[in-house]
């Protein structure tokens, strides 16, 4: 534990009380003198210094001073615990007791700490400047950057005190238990009880409390309507006249989806031909009780709107809050000349990162229920009267969208095309395609089965590899940025170097980024909440890329490079 007293400064420990130990061979802990709350060990300090310095190595996204201080403090606490553990193991092999370090050892450490921390802090600022330059980020707060070591010290101190509080609780519990059971059993029961208590507090109190508070907050927000969103006046939108889904039941994101979008005149101006009103069907959490009934309700409204008579039908799996990226749907509607219908449902109030922790099963259930309901109606139509059926989803929406399919052949046989953007690393099919990629292809842009059905693009405006191989039939495209932490985060980062770091990095990732046990995991974890707070084309921000991605999947006739450029300007302006 980070608060171990080994090698701590101070006088020798008092003589051990051998009355109980003499009667039992168990490894009863030796009583120690009372220590100051802020006393530290020299091995722990060396570990904290090393890990704190490594926290300044580059990650995927630029970091502000507060975030850098948080990462540095967490890393320092982990390093302190590692240093204490290494010292304890070393003493066990050497079969010796701990002894206080000499004064010159502390002097050497302090001098080394000032030099090493200063060097890494300086290199860290340079690396952050390079990352911002790659992404075109201009914001940089110098005072916060300077304050990051103070934030790190505060975080480190809080974590150290917490660890020592847990250790103190364990020791008190062991002393109490030894009145009734032997020292070995007391130690085992004490650790088990304390570990269970900590787990219950973290998961049952902190996490459940956070989820409950977030659910309450976001459920209230779900009843609001954003400025600029208006109830549809057309019968071709859910919530509009004649809709089977009431406007008030759509939720915040559902109202955004059906109450906005490109107008008929805007689409007609882009295509140069008369346009139709695009169809949008949606069912919110308040529309029905469960995922299956919501899907059935959305399909019923889609049928009423005439969605199955359109040439193109898009099944869009939402993110946790029910959000549908307008760039994805707008691009689809423009490139299909508005001869399209889009259907989606909501399964949670929470944002994607929190939905993954507590609503992962809901995303899976919603994605499968919606596609199955659409496919059931679609498959009953005469083959020559069926619309082209497409599937799409971003982030957790791609996770839900995948769950309706068993693999490559299923995607190819049951859809006309698929577009998944920013797929999380835990997506089943994404992992299957990436892990079984063709030899020689990098993880940041893998090639699967010669790209016959499934392909991956960092920048779909460029040639999508393998450009020299045919891509016939249904096209499945994964859109992912090399700097997107949602795509690359995994618990395996704790102990295993991924290929995307060991291989040549993407265009917006620094070559100086290296894998470090524990350190890289916390750095990429800290990137997650800010994944979309970067300019488009980087991180988890997908906007104009949808234009080229849908162009590759839809293969619309008579669309020129100039048309795609104009559409990108339209999508960028709307965003």
């Amino acid at each position: 534990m980070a608060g171990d007293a080994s090698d701590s400064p101070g006088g020798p420990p008092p003589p051990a009380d051998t009355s109980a130990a003499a009667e039992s061979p168990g490894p009863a802990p030796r009583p120690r003198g009372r220590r100051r709350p802020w006393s530290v060990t020299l091995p722990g300090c060396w570990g904290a210094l090393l890990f704190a310095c490594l926290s300044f190595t580059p990650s995927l996204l630029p970091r502000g001073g507060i975030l850098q201080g948080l990462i540095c403090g967490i890393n320092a606490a982990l390093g302190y615990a590692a240093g204490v553990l290494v010292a304890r193991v070393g003493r066990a092999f050497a079969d010796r007791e701990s002894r206080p370090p000499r004064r010159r050892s502390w002097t050497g450490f302090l001098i080394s700490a000032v030099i090493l921390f200063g060097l890494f802090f300086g290199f860290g600022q340079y690396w952050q400047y390079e990352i911002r330059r790659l992404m075109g980020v201009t914001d940089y707060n110098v005072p916060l950057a300077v304050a990051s070591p103070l934030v790190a010290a505060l975080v480190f101190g809080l974590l150290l005190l917490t660890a020592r509080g847990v250790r103190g609780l364990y020791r008190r519990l062991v002393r109490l238990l030894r009145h009734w059971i032997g020292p070995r059993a007391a130690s085992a029961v004490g650790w088990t009880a304390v570990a269970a208590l900590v787990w219950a507090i973290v998961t049952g109190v902190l996490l459940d409390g956070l989820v409950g508070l977030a659910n309450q907050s976001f459920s209230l927000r779900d009843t609001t309507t954003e400025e600029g969103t208006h109830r549809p006046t057309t019968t071709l939108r859910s919530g509009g006249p004649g809709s089977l889904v009431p406007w008030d039941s759509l939720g915040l994101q559902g109202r955004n989806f059906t109450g906005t979008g490109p107008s008929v005149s805007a689409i007609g101006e882009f295509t140069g031909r008369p346009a139709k009103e695009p169809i949008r069907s949606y069912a919110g959490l308040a529309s029905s009780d469960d995922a299956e009934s919501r899907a059935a309700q959305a399909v019923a409204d889609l049928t009423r709107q005439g969605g199955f008579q359109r040439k193109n039908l898009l099944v869009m799996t939402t993110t946790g809050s029910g959000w549908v990226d307008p760039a994805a749907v707008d691009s689809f509607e423009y490139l299909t000349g508005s001869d399209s219908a889009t259907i989606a449902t909501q399964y949670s109030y929470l944002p994607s990162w929190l939905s993954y922790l507590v609503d992962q099963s809901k995303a899976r259930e919603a994605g499968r229920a919606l596609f199955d309901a659409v496919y059931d109606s679609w498959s009953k139509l005469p083959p020559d009267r069926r619309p082209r059926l497409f599937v799409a989803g971003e982030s957790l929406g791609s996770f839900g969208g995948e769950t309706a399919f068993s693999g490559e052949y299923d995607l190819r046989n049951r859809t006309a095309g698929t577009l998944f953007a920013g797929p999380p690393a835990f997506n089943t099919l994404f992992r299957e395609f990436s892990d079984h990629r063709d030899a020689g292809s990098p993880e940041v842009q893998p090639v699967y089965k010669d790209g016959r059905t499934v392909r991956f693009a960092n920048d779909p405006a460029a040639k999508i590899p393998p450009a020299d191989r045919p891509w016939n039939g249904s096209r499945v495209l994964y859109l992912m940025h090399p700097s997107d932490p949602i795509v690359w985060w995994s618990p395996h980062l704790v102990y295993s170097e991924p290929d995307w770091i060991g291989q040549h990095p993407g265009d917006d990732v620094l070559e100086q980024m290296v894998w470090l046990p524990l350190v890289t995991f916390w750095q990429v974890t800290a990137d997650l909440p800010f994944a979309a707070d970067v300019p488009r084309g980087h991180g988890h921000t997908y906007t104009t890329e949808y234009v080229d991605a849908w162009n590759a999947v839809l293969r619309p006739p008579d669309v020129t490079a100039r048309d795609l450029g104009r559409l990108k300007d339209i999508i960028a302006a709307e965003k």
Side-chain angles (χ1 to χ4, degrees):
M1 203 69 188
D4 184 45
S6 59
D7 291 323
S8 61
D17 182 2
T18 59
S19 58
E23 300 174 4
S24 171
R30 245 181 355 108
R32 301 178 185 272
R34 183 176 296 276
R35 61 185 300 173
R36 295 184 297 274
W38 291 104
S39 61
V40 291
T41 73
L42 185 58
C45 287
W46 275 111
L49 173 62
L50 176 62
F51 274 56
C53 289
L54 293 177
S55 73
F56 290 101
T57 56
S59 185
L60 292 172
L61 302 178
R63 297 194 291 260
I66 298 298
L67 179 60
Q68 177 60 63
L70 177 65
I71 297 172
C72 185
I74 293 174
N75 278 356
L78 292 172
Y80 187 89
V84 169
L85 178 62
V86 169
R88 174 173 288 187
V89 172
R91 289 196 307 273
F93 276 99
D95 194 22
R96 67 172 179 82
E97 298 293 329
S98 63
R99 49 178 180 256
R102 300 172 182 174
R103 183 179 298 274
R104 65 183 182 184
S105 298
W106 280 109
T107 302
F109 166 76
L110 293 175
I111 294 174
S112 300
V114 171
I115 296 174
L116 288 176
F117 192 86
L119 284 174
F120 274 88
F121 180 83
F123 276 116
Q125 302 313 304
Y126 169 74
W127 287 324
Q128 288 301 307
Y129 165 78
E130 288 294 303
I131 296 175
R132 292 195 302 273
R133 183 182 60 81
L134 283 177
M135 298 187 179
V137 176
T138 57
D139 294 338
Y140 180 62
N141 193 311
V142 176
L144 289 181
V146 174
S148 62
L150 299 179
V151 176
L154 177 62
V155 172
F156 172 74
L158 290 175
L159 292 176
L160 188 65
L161 286 178
T162 301
R164 288 181 172 174
V166 172
R167 183 199 58 191
L169 178 63
Y170 156 73
R171 288 182 172 175
R172 288 182 177 86
L173 183 58
V174 168
R175 284 197 295 268
L176 180 64
L177 291 173
R178 288 178 62 178
H179 287 91
W180 297 284
I181 58 178
R184 288 179 184 267
S187 180
V189 172
W191 268 122
T192 303
V194 170
L197 177 62
V198 171
W199 177 259
I201 291 175
V202 171
T203 60
V205 178
L206 296 181
L207 183 58
D208 287 352
L210 172 64
V211 171
L213 181 62
N215 203 42
Q216 182 179 10
S217 174
F218 283 103
S219 64
L220 290 175
R221 183 172 180 265
D222 201 53
T223 63
T224 64
T225 303
E226 289 186 0
E227 185 179 353
T229 300
H230 305 285
R231 184 174 182 177
T233 58
T234 172
T235 60
L236 302 181
R237 300 287 180 101
S238 293
S243 174
L244 302 179
V245 187
W247 170 254
D248 292 340
S249 74
L250 295 178
L252 173 66
Q253 300 300 346
R255 287 188 286 274
N256 286 342
F257 174 63
T258 65
T260 61
S263 64
V264 174
S265 59
I267 296 176
E269 182 180 353
F270 170 73
T271 62
R273 297 185 299 272
K276 302 178 181 179
E277 179 80 28
I279 291 174
R280 293 189 177 188
S281 178
Y282 193 96
L285 272 177
S287 302
S288 196
D289 294 333
D290 54 63
E292 188 172 333
S293 59
R294 280 191 295 272
Q297 190 174 18
V299 170
D301 206 33
L302 180 72
T303 303
R304 176 196 64 83
Q305 297 162 343
F308 288 100
Q309 280 70 57
R310 292 297 174 93
K311 186 177 180 180
N312 303 280
L313 174 57
L314 173 60
V315 180
M316 191 83 186
T317 308
T318 65
T319 62
S321 61
W323 180 69
V324 177
D325 192 337
V329 179
D330 292 359
S331 299
F332 181 81
E333 292 173 344
Y334 275 107
L335 289 173
T336 57
S338 75
D339 193 1
S340 64
T342 304
I343 184 172
T345 60
Q346 180 187 15
Y347 56 84
S348 175
Y349 298 122
L350 304 176
S352 288
W353 68 272
L354 197 50
S355 290
Y356 168 65
L357 294 176
V358 298
D359 286 343
Q360 189 178 138
S361 60
K362 292 183 180 180
R364 182 184 296 109
E365 182 183 4
R368 184 182 298 117
L370 180 59
F371 182 83
D372 287 349
V374 172
Y375 190 80
D376 181 63
S377 296
W378 177 88
S379 62
K380 294 175 181 177
L381 297 173
D384 59 344
R385 293 176 54 191
R386 294 172 182 168
R388 294 198 300 169
L389 184 58
F390 296 91
V391 174
E394 180 177 326
S395 192
L396 196 60
S398 71
F399 169 76
E402 277 192 359
T403 58
F405 305 95
S406 59
E408 176 198 13
Y409 283 102
D410 201 18
L411 282 164
R412 183 169 64 190
N413 292 336
R414 293 206 291 162
T415 72
T418 302
L419 177 56
F420 290 137
F426 52 77
N427 279 22
T428 302
L429 297 185
F430 171 63
R431 277 268 57 89
E432 176 186 334
F433 300 147
S434 181
D435 292 344
H436 295 88
R437 63 188 179 272
D438 295 351
S441 64
E443 189 174 15
V444 293
Q445 196 165 23
V447 174
Y448 179 76
K449 304 286 188 182
D450 286 330
R452 63 188 183 188
T453 301
V454 180
R455 296 197 180 188
F456 301 80
N458 301 152
D459 178 11
K463 292 182 178 179
I464 300 174
D468 59 339
R469 306 293 295 178
W471 197 10
N472 301 320
S474 176
R475 294 184 173 187
V476 178
L477 180 61
Y478 282 90
L479 181 60
M480 56 191 197
H481 296 146
S483 58
D484 187 351
I486 303 293
V487 175
W488 308 118
W489 182 90
S490 168
H492 296 165
L493 286 172
V494 172
Y495 55 85
S496 176
E497 179 181 7
D499 291 342
W500 61 269
I501 291 182
Q503 297 169 345
H504 188 276
D507 293 338
D508 58 352
V509 177
L510 285 185
E511 291 188 3
Q512 290 89 342
M513 183 178 180
V514 296
W515 175 77
L516 300 165
L518 291 177
V519 175
T520 301
F521 170 78
W522 286 115
Q523 287 180 321
V524 177
T525 300
D527 286 335
L528 293 175
F530 310 97
D533 296 338
V534 291
R536 63 175 182 266
H538 306 285
H540 200 59
T541 306
Y542 299 88
T543 51
T544 56
E545 298 95 324
Y546 276 115
V547 174
D548 292 301
W550 274 125
N551 182 60
V553 173
L554 290 167
R555 289 167 282 182
D558 304 325
V559 174
T560 65
R562 181 175 176 275
D563 293 332
L564 296 177
R566 288 193 300 122
L567 183 52
K568 289 178 187 178
D569 293 338
I570 294 172
I571 298 300
E574 291 176 349
K575 189 69 173 181

